[in-house]
């Protein structure tokens, strides 16, 4: 069955849709004006820094997620101050957990690095 909702991470102004889903969503570090995108299936593109932030969508929301030339930009470890203490943030693991969270059961994840 063809996926209904697809999320492309790090999509920029050309979100990719490898499974030809009916509805296409995106997340990018930059704010993208969805009205300037020619692909008619694009519903919205949200802005987030996925090295630190959660994917700004609900759990079990997407049938598929893609990441083209994106994952290699997520640091494996980030040390940051939190309440005046240096803490370790496992950005890559957290990002992968977020992908799992937003995918529906038996959803597909497509990554190219």
């Amino acid at each position: 069955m063809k996926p209904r909702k697809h999320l492309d991470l790090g999509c920029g102004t050309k979100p990719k849709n490898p499974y030809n889903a009916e509805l296409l969503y995106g997340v990018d570090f930059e704010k993208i004006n969805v009205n300037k995108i020619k692909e008619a299936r694009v519903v919205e593109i949200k802005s987030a820094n996925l090295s630190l932030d959660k994917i700004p969508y609900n759990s079990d929301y997407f049938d598929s997620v893609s990441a083209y030339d994106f994952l290699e930009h997520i640091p494996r470890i980030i040390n940051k101050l939190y309440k005046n203490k240096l803490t370790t943030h496992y950005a890559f693991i957290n990002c992968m957990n977020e992908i799992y969270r937003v995918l529906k059961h038996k959803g597909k994840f497509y990554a190219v690095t």
Side-chain angles (χ1 to χ4, degrees):
M1 184 166 77
K2 183 167 89 168
R4 177 154 164 67
K5 291 187 280 189
H6 178 77
L7 174 65
D8 188 36
L9 302 176
C11 64
T13 58
K14 296 180 182 176
K16 293 174 182 56
N17 191 359
Y19 300 109
N20 200 27
E22 294 173 31
L23 304 171
L24 182 55
Y25 298 76
V27 173
D28 198 86
F29 186 76
E30 301 290 328
K31 290 186 179 185
I32 307 289
N33 184 347
V34 74
N35 297 324
K36 292 185 177 182
I37 296 177
K38 295 177 183 172
E39 168 66 58
R41 291 184 264 193
V42 175
V43 175
E44 71 181 343
I45 297 176
K46 292 187 178 183
S47 177
N49 178 351
L50 296 183
S51 292
L52 300 171
D53 302 330
K54 293 181 180 263
I55 295 174
Y57 287 100
N58 293 332
S59 299
D60 305 311
Y61 193 72
F62 294 102
D63 300 292
S64 57
V65 174
S66 62
Y68 286 83
D69 300 317
F70 170 76
L71 291 175
E72 63 268 27
H73 299 284
I74 301 295
R76 298 316 185 242
I77 297 172
I78 297 174
N79 292 315
K80 63 181 185 175
L81 281 175
Y82 179 74
K83 295 185 179 180
N84 294 326
K85 289 185 179 180
L86 190 63
T87 61
T88 301
H89 176 76
Y90 297 95
F92 185 81
I93 292 171
N94 292 341
C95 184
M96 294 303 290
N97 286 338
E98 279 296 293
I99 292 166
Y100 181 81
R101 180 186 66 79
V102 300
L103 271 172
K104 292 180 180 177
H105 180 67
K106 294 192 178 182
K108 295 180 179 182
F109 176 51
Y110 188 85
V112 176
T113 57

